[in-house]
Structures are given as structure tokens and as C-alpha cells.
């Protein structure tokens, strides 16, 4: 293993899309940003320099950051932001992971334009556990607003209403052919008979997406940098923060085939039916070929998502064994959802809020990890509730008094504790799917179901043999998902819905994992250039 050095210069760049220009924050002037390549076991050192007016941080989404929580990146959770003119060196080792991940800004809504791919190749001499693809392609899905995104969210927070949806979805930064404005869209060039490994990343802020290519099927081989049992599908379902490696065989007639992305079940209030397209083009395609079209899943195509998620199983081979915790120290029930609180200054007299167990998380002004490490009191409390304050019919009609409380609360775990969280979706305003992300760990998704979780019967059908291993999981609409992990990484770790609007509304919390007693069971000391608040 080697050390790989990168330099990320955060700079503004005037960018034109959908026939409108605006300055955006970029890394090294690129949108999407540069790809970070490494091999399993390598150490990555990224010097991030802030040349813009806004505060910045970068998060290496899905990188375990074993004992290096200082390099995780979420603002006010593991670090204070990098201020204008300052720099910070992220330094971490890629342990026990290979595949595709993403990096993105982790402050306000900056990740709209500040994101890119992380490609972790197997160790030198180690092959993929599936037939070697002839070529690889990175496909980053995103969203584009014609107006400034921070203005969009600030206005929404003032009015208490949901923010505007994006003006288009993008594939590798390109909106598909749009009405009233010609744009070319993304083209994937293929050669007949060859196999392509598509590294698909959903970097969108607020949309779970379907991904399809006309006339072609995918073999899914990995998600969130964990190998899966290969399975075939014609539709990929991917939430923000998730990554999917899929093999595509160019086995159709020479020609042009539509690549389509479309949203799954947005909030009912802010409907988004934006479909964006690109083109898969075979080498040797004649000049004016017909284009093969594809069907688009309806926006509420829950059966497709269920089918896709049910097919995901960890590889569980001799080389890549599944290690599900079988005994549980902390059995938690997190009721997660979106609701409204009264608000006299808001447009409708109410404010949309989101919460876990009725706590709407308030960002501290000092980073939690610093407060924990240096014993600074008054920054957070340890009383994050392990279950809802009172139980009710989570997926039915909500009780009347559901006003949330504000707090910066963490849930404390001892080193190596095992945790099960049942993420129970609620339907206070509307049933909605929540792609929930846990920092610092991979977890196993051992079970899921519709309606209310039944602690007596549902565990009987848990998959403890080959559940998929991920860092971000969809909590099904009006249903639940159960995840398990081992708290073998000391530090402070964020858990939140990866729909940015829900995070902003408060659908977030943090775990505090104490140091263990052993020699390699403590968080390393903070780097000397750690930004100050
Ligand atoms: Cu990809 Cu906390 O985020």
C-alpha cells in the first residue's frame, strides 16, 4: 500500500446549464469534481484549500475512518468548517473496503456542486470476485438548480415551507435534452461485445432515483463498496449517498439507446417529475440512427424499489465473509419522519420540521468531536432517546400533539458494543422514503417491512446470514428497516437522512463511541491544523 496525495482547491466557477449561468463552488474548477483513485489499504492525504467566501468541509462518504474521525468531515460534528483562506489536510487509510464511494461537501447545501467519485481498487494482485470487465465508467447522478441553492434553502427555512425542487437532474453534470434549451446530455460510448463496469453514484441532494438503459440489463455486483451476490435487473434504484456497481454487457444491435433517470416518490408537497436522459452509443452506429427508448418507472413505483432492495444480499464468500452481530447490546427504535410545528412568523403559521424520536437535532456551534475529546461541556447532552417518547401507530393517523423538541443530543456507546436500530418511518405529513446514512460504519440491513415494526414477530424473519452491507439505506415508505453494526470505531458519528432537505429540517443525530481499553482502540489525536470554530 502507498500514500496518495491530492489537492482540492475550492474555487468559484461561472457555469452555464439549462441556458442560464451562475457561479458555483467547485473543486479544482470541475463539476462534478475530480475522482479520487486508490487501492484498498492505501493512505489518502487530501489538502483542501478554501478560496471561496463560504465555509467548507469535505466528507468521504462511506470511508470507515477507523480511529481517524477528525477526517470524516461533517461540519460541527467532527470538525469546525475550513474558513476562507484556510486549509485542512484530510488523512485516512482505506481499510477493508474496495469499490465505489463518493466524496462531497458536508455543510449547508454545498454538496449540490461539490462532489465526486472515490474509486477503491482491490489490492494489487487481487481480482474482482466477478468476471473482469473490459472497461469501467463512472456515472454520477445529480441535480441542478438555475438559482443559487443556498438561497433556495434559506428562503424555505424562513418561510417554513418545503424548498423548490431542482430544475433538472444531471448525469455526470449534464442535464438531458431539456425543453426550451438545447443541451446534449451525457453519452456512454460502448463497443459491441464488451463488458462495462458502471460505477453509479447518486450525488443528488433530494431525490432517490431510478436508472435505466433501454434494451439492456445490469448485473449488480457491489453497493456502497461492499460486494453483493450478483443479480440481474433492468432498473437500478439508488438513493442519495448510495453507490452501485453494475456490469453492463454491450450485447444489443449497434445503435443508440436511451439512458434514463427519474425520481422515486418525492414529497407530496413538492412534486418532481423531472426525467433526464443520456445516450448509450455503440461504436459504428450510423449517422442518423433511430434511438431505442425505454419505459420510465412511475414516480411511486414502490414494487420496483422493493424488488431491487430484496435482491440485495452480501456476497458472504470465504474471502469476503459477512459478519453480522448476533447478540445485541443496544436495541433501538428510531421513529423518523417529517412533521409540522406551529410557527408565527412562517407563511402558513406552521414550520415543516423533521425528527428522530421527536428530537429535531440542532447543530452545535462547536464540533461535537472536539467537545468530546477536550471535555468541553455545554455543547451536547447524552440523552438521545433510544425509543420514541410514546408509541403510537407510526404509519397511521398521527396523534394530535406531535410537536418536536429541539436538542443537540447524542447516544453513547461503549467500544465494541453491538447495536440494532429499527428505523421506523412515520407518516405525520406524508409517508416518505428516507435514505438514512450512518457515518463511520458499515451496517447490515437485516430486515424490513411495511407498516409498524413488530418486535415479537419481525425478528424471526431477519436475515442474519447474508444481509447486504451498506452505509446508506432506504427506510421504505410507511415501513421500517432494521440495521445492525458493531461500534468498533471510537469517535462521534453522524446519522441522518441523506435527503438534504430532511437533514436541514432536523432528521439527524449522532452516536458517541467511547475509546476501548486496548492498544488500538482509541481515536488518534487531532491533527495540528484542525480548524477552529
Ligand atoms: Cu454523504 Cu453525512 O453524508
Amino acid at each position: 500500500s502507498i500514500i496518495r496525495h491530492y489537492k482540492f482547491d475550492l474555487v468559484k466557477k461561472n457555469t452555464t446549464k439549462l441556458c442560464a449561468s451562475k457561479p458555483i463552488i467547485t473543486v479544482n474548477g470541475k463539476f462534478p469534481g475530480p475522482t479520487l483513485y486508490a487501492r484498498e489499504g492505501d493512505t489518502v492525504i487530501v489538502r483542501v484549500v478554501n478560496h471561496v467566501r463560504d465555509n467548507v468541509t469535505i466528507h468521504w462518504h462511506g470511508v470507515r475512518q477507523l480511529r481517524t474521525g477528525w477526517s470524516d468531515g461533517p461540519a460541527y460534528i467532527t470538525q469546525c468548517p475550513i474558513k476562507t483562506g484556510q486549509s485542512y489536510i484530510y488523512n485516512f487509510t482505506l481499510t477493508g473496503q474496495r469499490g465505489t464511494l463518493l466524496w462531497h461537501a458536508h455543510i449547508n447545501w454545498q454538496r449540490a456542486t461539490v462532489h465526486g467519485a472515490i474509486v477503491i481498487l482491490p489490492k494489487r494482485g487481487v481480482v474482482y470476485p466477478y468476471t473482469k470487465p473490459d472497461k469501467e465508467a463512472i456515472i454520477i447522478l445529480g441535480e441542478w438548480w438555475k438559482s443559487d441553492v443556498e438561497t433556495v434553502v434559506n428562503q424555505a427555512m424562513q418561510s417554513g415551507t418545503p424548498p423548490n425542487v431542482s430544475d433538472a437532474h444531471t448525469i455526470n453534470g449534464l442535464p438531458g435534452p431539456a425543453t426550451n434549451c438545447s443541451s446534449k446530455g451525457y453519452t456512454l460510448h460502448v463497443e459491441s461485445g464488451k463488458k462495462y463496469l458502471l460505477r453509479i453514484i447518486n450525488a443528488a441532494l433530494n431525490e432517490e432515483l431510478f436508472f435505466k438503459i433501454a434494451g439492456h440489463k445490469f448485473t449488480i455486483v457491489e453497493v456502497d463498496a461492499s460486494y453483493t451476490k450478483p443479480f440481474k435487473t433492468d432498473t437500478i434504484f439508488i438513493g442519495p449517498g448510495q453507490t452501485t456497481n453494475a456490469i453492463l454487457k454491450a450485447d444489443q444491435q449497434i445503435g443508440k439507446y436511451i439512458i434514463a433517470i427519474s425520481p422515486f416518490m418525492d414529497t407530496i408537497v413538492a412534486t418532481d417529475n423531472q426525467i433526464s436522459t443520456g445516450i448509450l452509443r455503440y461504436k459504428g452506429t450510423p449517422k442518423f440512427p433511430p434511438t431505442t427508448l425505454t419505459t420510465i418507472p412511475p414516480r411511486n413505483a414502490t414494487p420496483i424499489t422493493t424488488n431491487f432492495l430484496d435482491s440485495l444480499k452480501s456476497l458472504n464468500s470465504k474471502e469476503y465473509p459477512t459478519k453480522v452481530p448476533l447478540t445485541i447490546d443496544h436495541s433501538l427504535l428510531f421513529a423518523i419522519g417529517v412533521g409540522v410545528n406551529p410557527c408565527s412568523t412562517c407563511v402558513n403559521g406552521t414550520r415543516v420540521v423533521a425528527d428522530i424520536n421527536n428530537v429535531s437535532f440542532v447543530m452545535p456551534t462547536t464540533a461535537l468531536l472536539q467537545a468530546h475529546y477536550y471535555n468541553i461541556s455545554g455543547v451536547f447532552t447524552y440523552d438521545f432517546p433510544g425509543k420514541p417518547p410514546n408509541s403510537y401507530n407510526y404509519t397511521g393517523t398521527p396523534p394530535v400533539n406531535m410537536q418536536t423538541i429541539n436538542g443537540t443530543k447524542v447516544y453513547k456507546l461503549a467500544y465494541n458494543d453491538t447495536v440494532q436500530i429499527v428505523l421506523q418511518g412515520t407518516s405525520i405529513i406524508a409517508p416518505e422514503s428516507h435514505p438514512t446514512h450512518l457515518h463511520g460504519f458499515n451496517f447490515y440491513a437485516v430486515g424490513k417491512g411495511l407498516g409498524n415494526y413488530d418486535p415479537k414477530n419481525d425478528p424471526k424473519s431477519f436475515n442474519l446470514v447474508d444481509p447486504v452491507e451498506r452505509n446508506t439505506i432506504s427506510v421504505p415508505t410507511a415501513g421500517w428497516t432494521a440495521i445492525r453494526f458493531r461500534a468498533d470505531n471510537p469517535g462521534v458519528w453522524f446519522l441522518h437522512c441523506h435527503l438534504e432537505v430532511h437533514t436541514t429540517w432536523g432528521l439527524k443525530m449522532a452516536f458517541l463511541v467511547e475509546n476501548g481499553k486496548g492498544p488500538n482502540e482509541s481515536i488518534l489525536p487531532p491533527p495540528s491544523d484542525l480548524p477552529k470554530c
Side-chain angles (χ1 to χ4, degrees):
S1 52
I2 60 165
I3 300 179
R4 305 200 184 234
H5 291 269
Y6 283 86
K7 186 162 178 244
F8 278 19
D9 283 300
L10 275 286
V11 289
K12 276 247 159 126
K13 190 157 188 234
N14 216 50
T15 308
T16 306
K17 286 188 200 301
L18 304 172
C19 298
S21 297
K22 65 168 183 177
I24 61 166
I25 303 177
T26 67
V27 168
N28 303 347
K30 292 199 178 112
F31 170 75
T35 301
L36 208 143
Y37 286 97
R39 281 187 189 277
E40 181 184 344
D42 288 354
T43 293
V44 179
I45 296 180
V46 190
R47 184 173 144 83
V48 175
V49 190
N50 182 0
H51 304 278
V52 300
R53 283 202 183 169
D54 313 62
N55 286 339
V56 305
T57 73
I58 305 285
H59 167 52
W60 319 92
H61 180 119
V63 171
R64 291 258 356 243
Q65 301 290 2
L66 276 169
R67 305 174 64 211
T68 54
W70 308 106
S71 286
D72 192 38
Y76 301 107
I77 304 295
T78 60
Q79 70 166 97
C80 300
I82 309 167
K83 298 193 187 82
T84 310
Q86 296 186 340
S87 68
Y88 180 48
I89 295 171
Y90 293 86
N91 184 337
F92 50 88
T93 300
L94 299 163
T95 336
Q97 293 178 286
R98 66 316 281 169
T100 307
L101 293 170
L102 70 155
W103 57 263
H104 62 77
H106 209 306
I107 184 165
N108 303 328
W109 279 27
Q110 220 174 75
R111 82 175 155 92
T113 59
V114 180
H115 61 247
I118 303 176
V119 173
I120 311 170
L121 298 168
K123 287 185 176 158
R124 201 168 281 287
V126 176
V127 296
Y128 294 132
Y130 45 84
T131 12
K132 192 180 182 301
D134 299 294
K135 280 188 175 154
E136 304 197 358
I138 292 169
I139 296 187
I140 302 179
L141 314 180
E143 278 178 289
W144 186 263
W145 277 260
K146 285 197 213 166
S147 44
D148 177 64
V149 280
E150 302 298 350
T151 312
V152 170
V153 60
N154 289 340
Q155 277 170 359
M157 288 310 280
Q158 254 173 36
S159 69
T161 55
N164 290 342
V165 297
S166 61
D167 295 295
H169 293 124
T170 55
I171 305 178
N172 286 342
L174 302 169
T179 35
N180 307 325
C181 176
S182 60
S183 56
K184 246 180 66 218
Y186 167 73
T187 306
L188 173 65
H189 295 275
V190 298
E191 267 177 70
S192 203
K194 294 234 153 95
K195 277 206 190 95
Y196 295 81
L197 175 64
L198 307 184
R199 298 178 177 273
I200 306 163
I201 295 168
N202 186 344
L205 283 186
N206 293 323
E207 297 288 358
E208 294 186 287
L209 294 166
F210 294 115
F211 179 91
K212 292 190 80 170
I213 301 182
H216 292 76
K217 279 204 159 131
F218 310 100
T219 305
I220 308 299
V221 291
E222 180 228 300
V223 293
D224 296 5
S226 306
Y227 291 130
T228 62
K229 291 205 169 66
F231 72 93
K232 279 208 163 143
T233 180
D234 59 6
T235 310
I236 289 172
F237 172 54
I238 184 165
Q242 293 185 324
T243 51
T244 301
N245 277 9
I247 306 273
L248 173 104
K249 198 166 177 220
D251 57 0
Q252 297 301 304
Q253 262 175 17
I254 281 175
K256 275 166 66 177
Y257 296 83
I258 287 282
I259 304 173
I261 56 172
S262 60
F264 165 66
M265 194 61 125
D266 200 349
T267 64
I268 287 186
V269 227
T271 43
D272 181 349
N273 291 307
Q274 300 273 8
I275 292 154
S276 265
T277 58
I279 295 283
L280 173 106
R281 191 188 183 105
Y282 279 76
K283 196 176 170 185
T285 295
K287 201 130 193 237
F288 298 105
T291 303
T292 308
L293 301 177
T294 180
T295 52
I296 306 290
R299 207 171 65 93
N300 59 355
T302 309
I304 298 183
T305 68
T306 309
N307 202 23
F308 185 85
L309 296 173
D310 284 349
S311 306
L312 286 171
K313 302 265 186 300
S314 62
L315 184 61
N316 194 21
S317 65
K318 208 164 119 246
E319 292 80 9
Y320 305 99
T322 304
K323 293 177 185 154
V324 197
L326 296 177
T327 57
I328 296 298
D329 299 315
H330 301 260
S331 187
L332 311 178
L333 177 65
F334 282 6
I336 63 176
V338 176
V340 289
N341 281 357
C343 165
S344 57
T345 58
C346 296
V347 173
N348 303 324
T350 52
R351 162 180 298 287
V352 182
V353 291
D355 68 284
I356 303 175
N357 288 349
N358 254 42
V359 181
S360 202
F361 188 91
V362 177
M363 280 311 216
T365 47
T366 300
L368 298 182
L369 186 55
Q370 274 93 322
H372 164 55
Y373 193 86
Y374 293 111
N375 275 314
I376 306 167
S377 61
V379 178
F380 62 84
T381 54
Y382 289 97
D383 54 346
F384 191 87
K387 57 179 176 32
N390 37 41
S391 56
Y392 56 97
N393 179 5
Y394 305 108
T395 52
T397 316
V400 270
N401 185 13
M402 280 308 290
Q403 194 166 340
T404 57
I405 58 159
N406 290 337
T408 307
K409 300 172 185 294
V410 305
Y411 190 96
K412 196 162 88 175
L413 299 168
Y415 182 82
N416 244 347
D417 276 357
T418 52
V419 185
Q420 171 176 294
I421 314 174
V422 174
L423 300 159
Q424 171 72 60
T426 64
S427 51
I428 305 287
I429 284 190
E432 236 187 300
S433 171
H434 298 282
T436 305
H437 173 45
L438 174 63
H439 288 231
F441 303 93
N442 279 354
F443 51 74
Y444 292 101
V446 294
K448 69 185 183 57
L450 291 177
N452 296 324
Y453 172 69
D454 171 0
K456 260 221 191 81
N457 291 307
D458 285 327
K460 290 180 194 156
S461 57
F462 280 2
N463 176 1
L464 303 176
V465 178
D466 60 356
V468 68
E469 183 182 351
R470 329 198 55 149
N471 62 58
T472 306
I473 187 92
S474 280
V475 178
T477 299
W480 55 272
T481 290
I483 62 172
R484 288 187 178 191
F485 67 97
R486 177 177 292 279
D488 56 359
N489 195 6
V492 176
W493 305 106
F494 211 15
L495 175 141
H496 61 94
C497 178
H498 217 278
L499 299 175
E500 204 55 38
V501 56
H502 292 181
T503 311
T504 306
W505 283 334
L507 214 171
K508 51 198 172 194
M509 59 80 67
F511 284 100
L512 189 158
V513 181
E514 294 175 306
N515 286 335
K517 304 238 155 31
N520 295 315
E521 297 177 353
S522 304
I523 186 163
L524 297 169
S528 57
D529 60 345
L530 187 71
K532 297 202 169 53
C533 281

